[in-house]
Amino acid sequence: MAKIKYPFLDLGQVNAPYAKELADALMRVLRSGRYIGGEEVDAFEEELARTIGCKYVVGCGNGMDALVFMLAAYKRRLGKPIDIIIPGNTYIASVLAAVHTGLKPIYADIDVKTLNMETSNLERYVTPDTRIIMTVHLYGRACFDKNLKDFASRHDLVVVEDNAQAIGAMVNGIHTGALGDAAAFSFYPTKNLGALGDAGAVTTNDKEIADCVRALGNYGSDRRYHNIYAEGRNSRLDPMQAAILRVKLPYLIHENTHRREVASIYEREITNPHIIKPTFVTDGSMVWHQYVIISDHRDELRQYLATNGVGTDIHYPTMPYHQPCMRTESGTCLPVCDSIEHKLLSLPISSCTSTSEAYEIAQIINNFRQ
Ligand SMILES: *Cc1c(COP(=O)(O)O)cnc(C)c1O
């Protein structure tokens, strides 16, 4: 196979521009003697709250735990049973968090234009136990509109966001993470704001939810040696990761701007009729965590691109409701999700793909099957 000239993602290269600042931040933590909680974590939580425009941020060990604690906090408030509406094409973590918390996922179909939840006909998913709807801003595209808001208020539903992929995106001037009642973030290294390891957070304006999430990630204790919940775990934001995220947060706008530039080149330059490009918007609601195209010849295209030195990935190869662990859930009928399941392909779009490389990749794509 040809050498990969255009890697899909090279995290070393993504973080290289920040090397000096990151090293300084890590030394600061080392010298502080404070290796759990403390100033770095407090400061990152405050800086993220200011960036997103929400009152409370609670750091967690990773995005999955952020989702679990967020849902567990609402379960404590709402009682059982709870059905939760979740888009059928999300990453498995959204679904596992619901199942882990004892919530029943009801999968919703998607809009083929946005690859996000279809919000115009959500009534069909409502059951007597529906209490929560989870919007997932998949691939970096905010999914939050009037339909969703009206639907949630009509049925008195809590709206939670899985904002692992869309930090920095905005809808009508409001950041993802501040659109619903609470949101879970992941700072997994590949995300638009990535740590050098695992990290996550919950954002909300609801103090009771924030306090509950904080306690659940710290042995269920609200203060030292005082345990209020018997379901707590240990999943706190690591100060090393907080210090790293503090370095990278101010550059997020720059990173997202670069992703938008690469996306606009793909949008303009890719003209191959075998490829459906993602819907392009310039309203700030998309931060291009992934640039996902649809092709009837996906596997052949992927092979062709690899042969021509272009690294690609697939997000995701199997829908959560088709995973072996989920197959017992019967009655799932998601024609749009089903129709694209084997056609998705993600092109390189991180800061390690330059704009001139994006032009070259577009030309290579245009020569496929032509
Ligand atoms: C990455 C991701 C998660 C999980 O985050 P981790 O930090 O890896 O646990 C959850 N949901 C979505 C949509 C993600 O992309």
Side-chain angles (χ1 to χ4, degrees):
M1 194 178 290
K3 192 172 168 310
I4 290 294
K5 181 174 175 203
Y6 311 95
F8 179 72
L9 181 62
D10 178 341
L11 289 172
Q13 204 181 319
V14 167
N15 288 309
Y18 314 119
K20 169 78 172 64
E21 281 182 82
L22 292 173
D24 290 349
L26 292 175
M27 282 308 290
R28 200 169 67 224
V29 176
L30 173 62
R31 294 206 181 95
S32 75
R34 190 70 201 264
Y35 307 130
I36 299 289
E39 255 176 49
E40 297 289 342
V41 174
D42 293 349
F44 174 68
E45 289 178 349
E46 272 164 39
E47 287 156 15
L48 184 63
R50 216 176 311 134
T51 303
I52 300 302
C54 64
K55 280 195 194 148
Y56 308 104
V57 172
V58 182
C60 303
N62 55 70
M64 170 79 186
D65 284 345
L67 284 165
V68 167
F69 299 148
M70 173 176 75
L71 295 177
Y74 281 105
K75 187 177 157 197
R76 288 189 162 270
R77 175 179 292 175
L78 301 169
K80 276 203 295 190
I82 296 175
D83 287 0
I84 178 171
I85 300 172
I86 301 182
N89 64 334
T90 187
Y91 179 56
I92 191 83
S94 323
V95 182
L96 287 179
V99 173
H100 180 85
T101 314
L103 278 48
K104 184 177 168 210
I106 308 286
Y107 297 104
D109 209 354
I110 59 167
D111 177 349
V112 75
K113 290 204 196 69
T114 61
L115 301 181
N116 269 333
M117 191 154 58
E118 164 66 70
T119 59
S120 66
N121 188 8
L122 290 165
E123 306 290 341
R124 59 190 151 159
Y125 304 117
V126 176
T127 68
D129 296 332
T130 308
R131 297 281 179 274
I132 306 178
I133 182 164
M134 180 188 286
T135 182
V136 180
H137 310 303
L138 202 68
Y139 308 143
R141 191 186 301 274
C143 177
F144 194 86
D145 61 7
K146 191 168 181 307
N147 288 336
L148 179 71
K149 249 186 345 202
D150 291 350
F151 170 75
S153 63
R154 221 166 26 247
H155 296 277
D156 199 18
L157 305 182
V158 168
V159 180
V160 296
E161 303 167 63
D162 180 335
N163 195 29
Q165 301 193 359
I167 186 169
M170 294 174 106
V171 177
N172 299 326
I174 300 174
H175 275 268
T176 56
L179 293 164
D181 294 294
F185 288 62
S186 165
F187 308 111
Y188 184 80
T190 63
K191 304 291 158 93
N192 289 33
L193 177 63
L196 304 187
D198 277 312
V202 172
T203 57
T204 184
N205 288 326
D206 187 325
K207 182 164 191 314
E208 193 181 85
I209 293 297
D211 289 346
C212 186
V213 166
R214 174 92 59 198
L216 289 171
N218 192 31
Y219 308 111
S221 66
D222 58 347
R223 55 180 199 271
R224 208 162 181 223
Y225 305 132
H226 187 260
N227 298 73
I228 51 174
Y229 308 126
E231 66 169 299
R233 294 219 307 275
N234 169 3
S235 181
R236 302 169 291 222
L237 175 59
D238 188 285
M240 291 275 189
Q241 301 304 340
I244 284 157
L245 292 168
R246 290 185 69 200
V247 169
K248 293 183 70 181
L249 182 58
Y251 297 106
L252 174 66
I253 288 183
H254 167 82
E255 294 268 345
N256 282 346
T257 300
H258 176 76
R259 287 171 184 270
R260 284 172 174 148
E261 275 167 16
V262 172
S264 73
I265 292 166
Y266 288 156
E267 165 69 13
R268 246 181 299 128
E269 301 295 321
I270 297 175
T271 52
N272 191 314
H274 298 294
I275 281 144
I276 300 172
K277 290 174 287 186
T279 300
F280 188 78
V281 291
T282 53
D283 62 0
S285 66
M286 177 54 151
V287 291
W288 300 101
H289 174 59
Q290 303 296 355
Y291 188 93
V292 178
I293 60 174
I294 297 173
S295 176
D296 287 338
H297 313 286
R298 191 266 310 271
D299 295 335
E300 185 189 335
L301 173 62
R302 189 172 197 207
Q303 184 56 51
Y304 162 85
L305 288 173
T307 306
N308 286 276
V310 181
T312 57
D313 207 337
I314 295 174
H315 300 91
Y316 300 93
T318 306
M319 296 284 166
Y321 59 91
H322 283 151
Q323 292 289 355
C325 64
M326 300 290 176
R327 279 213 178 124
T328 50
E329 309 275 333
S330 61
T332 302
C333 176
L334 306 170
V336 182
C337 286
D338 287 348
S339 71
I340 57 148
E341 183 169 22
H342 303 295
K343 300 182 181 180
L344 303 169
L345 190 66
S346 304
L347 303 183
I349 194 158
S350 74
S351 57
C352 63
T353 300
S354 69
T355 49
S356 59
E357 287 171 333
Y359 280 101
E360 292 163 24
I361 292 168
Q363 291 323 308
I364 293 170
I365 289 173
N366 287 342
N367 289 332
F368 173 65
R369 279 191 162 221
Q370 298 293 309

Short mmCIF file of all heavy atoms in Angstrom, two decimals, residues 163-223:
data_model
loop_
_atom_site.label_atom_id
_atom_site.label_comp_id
_atom_site.label_asym_id
_atom_site.label_seq_id
_atom_site.Cartn_x
_atom_site.Cartn_y
_atom_site.Cartn_z
N ASN A 163 -22.38 16.79 24.10
CA ASN A 163 -21.58 17.79 23.38
C ASN A 163 -20.12 17.37 23.28
O ASN A 163 -19.22 18.20 23.30
CB ASN A 163 -21.70 19.16 24.05
CG ASN A 163 -21.20 20.27 23.16
OD1 ASN A 163 -21.27 20.16 21.93
ND2 ASN A 163 -20.66 21.33 23.74
N ALA A 164 -19.89 16.08 23.15
CA ALA A 164 -18.52 15.58 23.01
C ALA A 164 -17.85 16.10 21.74
O ALA A 164 -16.64 16.23 21.68
CB ALA A 164 -18.52 14.05 23.01
N GLN A 165 -18.66 16.40 20.71
CA GLN A 165 -18.07 16.67 19.39
C GLN A 165 -18.22 18.11 18.91
O GLN A 165 -17.71 18.43 17.84
CB GLN A 165 -18.69 15.71 18.35
CG GLN A 165 -18.48 14.24 18.71
CD GLN A 165 -18.79 13.28 17.58
OE1 GLN A 165 -19.21 13.69 16.51
NE2 GLN A 165 -18.59 11.99 17.83
N ALA A 166 -18.92 18.97 19.63
CA ALA A 166 -19.26 20.27 19.03
C ALA A 166 -18.89 21.45 19.91
O ALA A 166 -19.55 22.50 19.84
CB ALA A 166 -20.74 20.31 18.67
N ILE A 167 -17.83 21.35 20.69
CA ILE A 167 -17.45 22.49 21.51
C ILE A 167 -17.08 23.67 20.61
O ILE A 167 -16.33 23.51 19.66
CB ILE A 167 -16.30 22.14 22.49
CG1 ILE A 167 -16.04 23.31 23.44
CG2 ILE A 167 -15.03 21.71 21.76
CD1 ILE A 167 -15.12 22.97 24.61
N GLY A 168 -17.68 24.82 20.89
CA GLY A 168 -17.43 26.02 20.08
C GLY A 168 -18.54 26.32 19.09
O GLY A 168 -18.61 27.43 18.56
N ALA A 169 -19.41 25.34 18.83
CA ALA A 169 -20.53 25.59 17.91
C ALA A 169 -21.59 26.44 18.62
O ALA A 169 -21.71 26.38 19.85
CB ALA A 169 -21.14 24.28 17.43
N MET A 170 -22.33 27.21 17.84
CA MET A 170 -23.35 28.08 18.43
C MET A 170 -24.64 28.05 17.63
O MET A 170 -24.61 27.90 16.41
CB MET A 170 -22.86 29.53 18.46
CG MET A 170 -21.68 29.76 19.37
SD MET A 170 -21.09 31.46 19.18
CE MET A 170 -21.70 32.16 20.69
N VAL A 171 -25.75 28.20 18.35
CA VAL A 171 -27.06 28.34 17.72
C VAL A 171 -27.65 29.66 18.19
O VAL A 171 -27.87 29.84 19.40
CB VAL A 171 -28.00 27.17 18.09
CG1 VAL A 171 -29.38 27.38 17.48
CG2 VAL A 171 -27.41 25.85 17.64
N ASN A 172 -27.91 30.58 17.26
CA ASN A 172 -28.43 31.90 17.61
C ASN A 172 -27.66 32.55 18.75
O ASN A 172 -28.25 33.07 19.70
CB ASN A 172 -29.93 31.81 17.98
CG ASN A 172 -30.75 31.28 16.82
OD1 ASN A 172 -30.45 31.56 15.66
ND2 ASN A 172 -31.77 30.50 17.12
N GLY A 173 -26.35 32.47 18.67
CA GLY A 173 -25.51 33.14 19.67
C GLY A 173 -25.33 32.39 20.98
O GLY A 173 -24.67 32.88 21.89
N ILE A 174 -25.90 31.20 21.07
CA ILE A 174 -25.74 30.41 22.31
C ILE A 174 -24.89 29.17 22.00
O ILE A 174 -25.11 28.48 21.00
CB ILE A 174 -27.11 29.99 22.88
CG1 ILE A 174 -27.93 31.25 23.21
CG2 ILE A 174 -26.94 29.12 24.13
CD1 ILE A 174 -29.35 30.94 23.64
N HIS A 175 -23.91 28.93 22.87
CA HIS A 175 -23.00 27.80 22.66
C HIS A 175 -23.68 26.46 22.90
O HIS A 175 -24.51 26.35 23.81
CB HIS A 175 -21.83 27.90 23.64
CG HIS A 175 -20.71 28.76 23.17
ND1 HIS A 175 -19.63 28.25 22.47
CD2 HIS A 175 -20.49 30.09 23.28
CE1 HIS A 175 -18.80 29.24 22.17
NE2 HIS A 175 -19.29 30.36 22.66
N THR A 176 -23.29 25.46 22.13
CA THR A 176 -23.65 24.09 22.50
C THR A 176 -23.07 23.87 23.89
O THR A 176 -22.00 24.36 24.22
CB THR A 176 -23.05 23.06 21.53
OG1 THR A 176 -21.63 23.24 21.47
CG2 THR A 176 -23.65 23.17 20.14
N GLY A 177 -23.81 23.16 24.71
CA GLY A 177 -23.41 23.01 26.11
C GLY A 177 -24.20 23.96 27.00
O GLY A 177 -24.22 23.78 28.22
N ALA A 178 -24.83 24.97 26.38
CA ALA A 178 -25.69 25.89 27.14
C ALA A 178 -27.07 25.96 26.52
O ALA A 178 -27.87 26.81 26.86
CB ALA A 178 -25.06 27.29 27.19
N LEU A 179 -27.36 25.05 25.58
CA LEU A 179 -28.64 25.10 24.87
C LEU A 179 -29.74 24.37 25.64
O LEU A 179 -30.88 24.82 25.69
CB LEU A 179 -28.47 24.45 23.48
CG LEU A 179 -27.56 25.19 22.49
CD1 LEU A 179 -27.17 24.27 21.33
CD2 LEU A 179 -28.24 26.45 21.97
N GLY A 180 -29.39 23.23 26.22
CA GLY A 180 -30.36 22.42 26.93
C GLY A 180 -30.30 22.65 28.43
O GLY A 180 -29.82 23.69 28.90
N ASP A 181 -30.77 21.64 29.20
CA ASP A 181 -30.74 21.76 30.66
C ASP A 181 -29.38 21.41 31.23
O ASP A 181 -28.99 21.94 32.27
CB ASP A 181 -31.82 20.85 31.26
CG ASP A 181 -33.22 21.30 30.88
OD1 ASP A 181 -33.61 22.40 31.32
OD2 ASP A 181 -33.89 20.59 30.11
N ALA A 182 -28.68 20.51 30.57
CA ALA A 182 -27.33 20.14 31.00
C ALA A 182 -26.64 19.48 29.81
O ALA A 182 -27.31 19.00 28.88
CB ALA A 182 -27.37 19.17 32.19
N ALA A 183 -25.31 19.47 29.85
CA ALA A 183 -24.56 18.90 28.72
C ALA A 183 -23.34 18.15 29.23
O ALA A 183 -22.77 18.51 30.26
CB ALA A 183 -24.13 20.00 27.75
N ALA A 184 -22.96 17.12 28.48
CA ALA A 184 -21.73 16.39 28.79
C ALA A 184 -20.71 16.67 27.69
O ALA A 184 -21.05 16.65 26.50
CB ALA A 184 -22.02 14.89 28.87
N PHE A 185 -19.49 16.95 28.11
CA PHE A 185 -18.38 17.20 27.19
C PHE A 185 -17.34 16.09 27.34
O PHE A 185 -17.16 15.55 28.43
CB PHE A 185 -17.65 18.51 27.54
CG PHE A 185 -18.40 19.77 27.22
CD1 PHE A 185 -19.61 20.06 27.82
CD2 PHE A 185 -17.86 20.69 26.33
CE1 PHE A 185 -20.29 21.25 27.54
CE2 PHE A 185 -18.52 21.88 26.04
CZ PHE A 185 -19.73 22.16 26.64
N SER A 186 -16.66 15.79 26.25
CA SER A 186 -15.49 14.92 26.31
C SER A 186 -14.28 15.69 25.80
O SER A 186 -14.39 16.44 24.82
CB SER A 186 -15.69 13.68 25.42
OG SER A 186 -14.44 13.03 25.21
N PHE A 187 -13.16 15.50 26.48
CA PHE A 187 -11.90 16.07 26.00
C PHE A 187 -10.92 14.97 25.62
O PHE A 187 -9.71 15.11 25.75
CB PHE A 187 -11.32 17.02 27.06
CG PHE A 187 -12.30 18.05 27.53
CD1 PHE A 187 -12.80 18.02 28.83
CD2 PHE A 187 -12.76 19.03 26.67
CE1 PHE A 187 -13.75 18.95 29.25
CE2 PHE A 187 -13.71 19.96 27.08
CZ PHE A 187 -14.20 19.92 28.38
N TYR A 188 -11.46 13.86 25.19
CA TYR A 188 -10.68 12.77 24.60
C TYR A 188 -9.72 13.41 23.57
O TYR A 188 -10.09 14.38 22.91
CB TYR A 188 -11.67 11.80 23.94
CG TYR A 188 -11.07 10.54 23.36
CD1 TYR A 188 -10.75 9.46 24.17
CD2 TYR A 188 -10.85 10.44 21.99
CE1 TYR A 188 -10.21 8.31 23.62
CE2 TYR A 188 -10.32 9.29 21.44
CZ TYR A 188 -10.00 8.22 22.26
OH TYR A 188 -9.48 7.09 21.72
N PRO A 189 -8.50 12.87 23.45
CA PRO A 189 -7.49 13.58 22.64
C PRO A 189 -7.89 13.94 21.21
O PRO A 189 -7.39 14.92 20.66
CB PRO A 189 -6.30 12.59 22.64
CG PRO A 189 -6.45 11.84 23.93
CD PRO A 189 -7.94 11.71 24.15
N THR A 190 -8.79 13.17 20.60
CA THR A 190 -9.16 13.48 19.20
C THR A 190 -10.23 14.55 19.07
O THR A 190 -10.54 14.99 17.96
CB THR A 190 -9.70 12.21 18.50
OG1 THR A 190 -10.89 11.81 19.16
CG2 THR A 190 -8.69 11.08 18.51
N LYS A 191 -10.83 14.95 20.19
CA LYS A 191 -11.94 15.92 20.10
C LYS A 191 -11.41 17.31 19.76
O LYS A 191 -10.21 17.57 19.85
CB LYS A 191 -12.72 15.94 21.43
CG LYS A 191 -13.25 14.57 21.85
CD LYS A 191 -14.37 14.05 20.95
CE LYS A 191 -14.54 12.56 21.00
NZ LYS A 191 -15.50 12.03 21.93
N ASN A 192 -12.30 18.23 19.38
CA ASN A 192 -11.84 19.56 18.95
C ASN A 192 -11.04 20.26 20.05
O ASN A 192 -10.10 20.99 19.75
CB ASN A 192 -13.03 20.44 18.54
CG ASN A 192 -13.64 19.97 17.23
OD1 ASN A 192 -13.65 18.77 16.95
ND2 ASN A 192 -14.16 20.89 16.43
N LEU A 193 -11.43 20.05 21.30
CA LEU A 193 -10.58 20.44 22.43
C LEU A 193 -10.15 19.15 23.11
O LEU A 193 -10.92 18.54 23.84
CB LEU A 193 -11.33 21.35 23.42
CG LEU A 193 -10.54 21.74 24.67
CD1 LEU A 193 -9.30 22.56 24.33
CD2 LEU A 193 -11.41 22.50 25.66
N GLY A 194 -8.92 18.73 22.85
CA GLY A 194 -8.46 17.42 23.32
C GLY A 194 -7.40 17.55 24.40
O GLY A 194 -6.48 18.36 24.29
N ALA A 195 -7.52 16.73 25.45
CA ALA A 195 -6.49 16.66 26.49
C ALA A 195 -5.37 15.72 26.01
O ALA A 195 -5.37 15.30 24.86
CB ALA A 195 -7.12 16.16 27.78
N LEU A 196 -4.43 15.44 26.90
CA LEU A 196 -3.40 14.45 26.58
C LEU A 196 -3.71 13.18 27.36
O LEU A 196 -2.84 12.59 28.00
CB LEU A 196 -2.00 14.97 26.93
CG LEU A 196 -1.57 16.30 26.30
CD1 LEU A 196 -0.09 16.59 26.61
CD2 LEU A 196 -1.78 16.29 24.79
N GLY A 197 -4.96 12.78 27.30
CA GLY A 197 -5.44 11.62 28.05
C GLY A 197 -6.94 11.79 28.16
O GLY A 197 -7.54 12.53 27.39
N ASP A 198 -7.55 11.12 29.13
CA ASP A 198 -9.00 11.22 29.30
C ASP A 198 -9.39 12.42 30.13
O ASP A 198 -8.71 12.76 31.12
CB ASP A 198 -9.53 9.95 30.00
CG ASP A 198 -9.76 8.80 29.03
OD1 ASP A 198 -10.38 9.04 27.97
OD2 ASP A 198 -9.32 7.68 29.33
N ALA A 199 -10.49 13.05 29.76
CA ALA A 199 -11.06 14.14 30.55
C ALA A 199 -12.46 14.44 30.02
O ALA A 199 -12.77 14.16 28.86
CB ALA A 199 -10.20 15.40 30.47
N GLY A 200 -13.30 14.99 30.90
CA GLY A 200 -14.66 15.34 30.49
C GLY A 200 -15.24 16.37 31.44
O GLY A 200 -14.58 16.78 32.41
N ALA A 201 -16.46 16.82 31.17
CA ALA A 201 -17.11 17.80 32.04
C ALA A 201 -18.60 17.80 31.81
O ALA A 201 -19.08 17.40 30.74
CB ALA A 201 -16.56 19.20 31.79
N VAL A 202 -19.34 18.27 32.81
CA VAL A 202 -20.77 18.53 32.68
C VAL A 202 -20.98 20.04 32.85
O VAL A 202 -20.38 20.65 33.73
CB VAL A 202 -21.59 17.77 33.74
CG1 VAL A 202 -23.05 18.20 33.73
CG2 VAL A 202 -21.47 16.27 33.51
N THR A 203 -21.81 20.62 31.98
CA THR A 203 -22.16 22.03 32.11
C THR A 203 -23.67 22.13 32.37
O THR A 203 -24.45 21.34 31.84
CB THR A 203 -21.84 22.81 30.83
OG1 THR A 203 -22.53 22.21 29.72
CG2 THR A 203 -20.36 22.83 30.53
N THR A 204 -24.06 23.11 33.17
CA THR A 204 -25.49 23.32 33.46
C THR A 204 -25.66 24.67 34.16
O THR A 204 -24.70 25.24 34.69
CB THR A 204 -26.05 22.18 34.34
OG1 THR A 204 -27.45 22.38 34.53
CG2 THR A 204 -25.37 22.11 35.69
N ASN A 205 -26.90 25.16 34.15
CA ASN A 205 -27.23 26.34 34.96
C ASN A 205 -27.98 25.93 36.23
O ASN A 205 -28.43 26.78 36.98
CB ASN A 205 -28.11 27.32 34.16
CG ASN A 205 -27.31 28.02 33.08
OD1 ASN A 205 -26.12 28.30 33.27
ND2 ASN A 205 -27.93 28.28 31.95
N ASP A 206 -28.12 24.63 36.42
CA ASP A 206 -28.93 24.09 37.52
C ASP A 206 -28.01 23.66 38.66
O ASP A 206 -27.30 22.66 38.56
CB ASP A 206 -29.70 22.88 36.94
CG ASP A 206 -30.72 22.31 37.90
OD1 ASP A 206 -30.46 22.31 39.12
OD2 ASP A 206 -31.77 21.85 37.42
N LYS A 207 -28.02 24.42 39.75
CA LYS A 207 -27.06 24.17 40.83
C LYS A 207 -27.23 22.79 41.44
O LYS A 207 -26.25 22.10 41.74
CB LYS A 207 -27.22 25.24 41.92
CG LYS A 207 -26.21 25.07 43.06
CD LYS A 207 -26.09 26.29 43.93
CE LYS A 207 -24.89 26.20 44.88
NZ LYS A 207 -24.76 24.91 45.58
N GLU A 208 -28.49 22.37 41.60
CA GLU A 208 -28.74 21.06 42.21
C GLU A 208 -28.15 19.93 41.36
O GLU A 208 -27.55 18.99 41.88
CB GLU A 208 -30.26 20.88 42.35
CG GLU A 208 -30.67 19.74 43.23
CD GLU A 208 -32.20 19.63 43.28
OE1 GLU A 208 -32.79 18.99 42.40
OE2 GLU A 208 -32.78 20.20 44.22
N ILE A 209 -28.30 20.05 40.03
CA ILE A 209 -27.74 19.04 39.13
C ILE A 209 -26.20 19.09 39.19
O ILE A 209 -25.54 18.05 39.28
CB ILE A 209 -28.24 19.25 37.67
CG1 ILE A 209 -29.75 18.98 37.58
CG2 ILE A 209 -27.47 18.38 36.68
CD1 ILE A 209 -30.20 17.56 37.90
N ALA A 210 -25.64 20.30 39.17
CA ALA A 210 -24.18 20.44 39.23
C ALA A 210 -23.63 19.81 40.52
O ALA A 210 -22.65 19.06 40.49
CB ALA A 210 -23.78 21.92 39.15
N ASP A 211 -24.28 20.11 41.64
CA ASP A 211 -23.81 19.56 42.92
C ASP A 211 -23.91 18.04 42.93
O ASP A 211 -23.02 17.35 43.46
CB ASP A 211 -24.65 20.13 44.08
CG ASP A 211 -24.34 21.60 44.35
OD1 ASP A 211 -23.31 22.09 43.82
OD2 ASP A 211 -25.13 22.26 45.06
N CYS A 212 -24.99 17.53 42.36
CA CYS A 212 -25.18 16.08 42.34
C CYS A 212 -24.11 15.42 41.46
O CYS A 212 -23.51 14.41 41.86
CB CYS A 212 -26.58 15.74 41.83
SG CYS A 212 -26.99 14.00 41.92
N VAL A 213 -23.84 16.00 40.29
CA VAL A 213 -22.80 15.46 39.40
C VAL A 213 -21.45 15.47 40.12
O VAL A 213 -20.69 14.51 40.08
CB VAL A 213 -22.73 16.27 38.08
CG1 VAL A 213 -21.47 15.96 37.30
CG2 VAL A 213 -23.97 15.99 37.23
N ARG A 214 -21.17 16.56 40.79
CA ARG A 214 -19.89 16.69 41.52
C ARG A 214 -19.76 15.57 42.56
O ARG A 214 -18.72 14.93 42.67
CB ARG A 214 -19.82 18.06 42.20
CG ARG A 214 -18.63 18.27 43.09
CD ARG A 214 -17.44 18.89 42.41
NE ARG A 214 -17.72 20.19 41.83
CZ ARG A 214 -16.95 20.77 40.89
NH1 ARG A 214 -15.88 20.14 40.45
NH2 ARG A 214 -17.26 21.94 40.40
N ALA A 215 -20.84 15.34 43.30
CA ALA A 215 -20.80 14.32 44.34
C ALA A 215 -20.66 12.91 43.74
O ALA A 215 -19.88 12.09 44.24
CB ALA A 215 -22.05 14.40 45.21
N LEU A 216 -21.38 12.67 42.62
CA LEU A 216 -21.35 11.32 42.02
C LEU A 216 -19.95 10.96 41.52
O LEU A 216 -19.57 9.79 41.52
CB LEU A 216 -22.37 11.22 40.88
CG LEU A 216 -23.84 11.20 41.31
CD1 LEU A 216 -24.76 11.33 40.10
CD2 LEU A 216 -24.18 9.94 42.11
N GLY A 217 -19.18 11.98 41.14
CA GLY A 217 -17.82 11.71 40.67
C GLY A 217 -16.81 11.65 41.79
O GLY A 217 -15.60 11.48 41.55
N ASN A 218 -17.28 11.82 43.00
CA ASN A 218 -16.36 11.87 44.14
C ASN A 218 -16.91 11.02 45.29
O ASN A 218 -17.15 11.51 46.39
CB ASN A 218 -16.17 13.34 44.57
CG ASN A 218 -15.03 13.51 45.54
OD1 ASN A 218 -14.06 12.77 45.51
ND2 ASN A 218 -15.17 14.50 46.43
N TYR A 219 -17.16 9.74 45.01
CA TYR A 219 -17.65 8.76 46.00
C TYR A 219 -19.02 9.09 46.56
O TYR A 219 -19.38 8.64 47.65
CB TYR A 219 -16.66 8.61 47.17
CG TYR A 219 -15.26 8.34 46.76
CD1 TYR A 219 -14.27 9.28 46.93
CD2 TYR A 219 -14.93 7.12 46.16
CE1 TYR A 219 -12.97 9.03 46.53
CE2 TYR A 219 -13.63 6.86 45.75
CZ TYR A 219 -12.66 7.81 45.94
OH TYR A 219 -11.39 7.57 45.54
N GLY A 220 -19.78 9.92 45.84
CA GLY A 220 -21.09 10.28 46.37
C GLY A 220 -21.01 11.17 47.59
O GLY A 220 -21.96 11.24 48.38
N SER A 221 -19.89 11.88 47.74
CA SER A 221 -19.75 12.72 48.93
C SER A 221 -19.84 14.19 48.56
O SER A 221 -19.31 14.62 47.54
CB SER A 221 -18.42 12.42 49.63
OG SER A 221 -17.35 12.81 48.81
N ASP A 222 -20.54 14.96 49.39
CA ASP A 222 -20.67 16.40 49.13
C ASP A 222 -19.58 17.18 49.84
O ASP A 222 -19.27 18.31 49.48
CB ASP A 222 -22.07 16.91 49.51
CG ASP A 222 -22.43 16.66 50.95
OD1 ASP A 222 -21.72 15.87 51.63
OD2 ASP A 222 -23.43 17.24 51.43
N ARG A 223 -19.02 16.59 50.87
CA ARG A 223 -17.82 17.16 51.48
C ARG A 223 -17.01 16.00 52.05
O ARG A 223 -17.48 14.86 52.06
CB ARG A 223 -18.15 18.21 52.54
CG ARG A 223 -19.08 17.73 53.63
CD ARG A 223 -19.35 18.85 54.64
NE ARG A 223 -19.85 18.28 55.89
CZ ARG A 223 -21.15 18.06 56.13
NH1 ARG A 223 -22.07 18.36 55.25
NH2 ARG A 223 -21.51 17.53 57.30
#
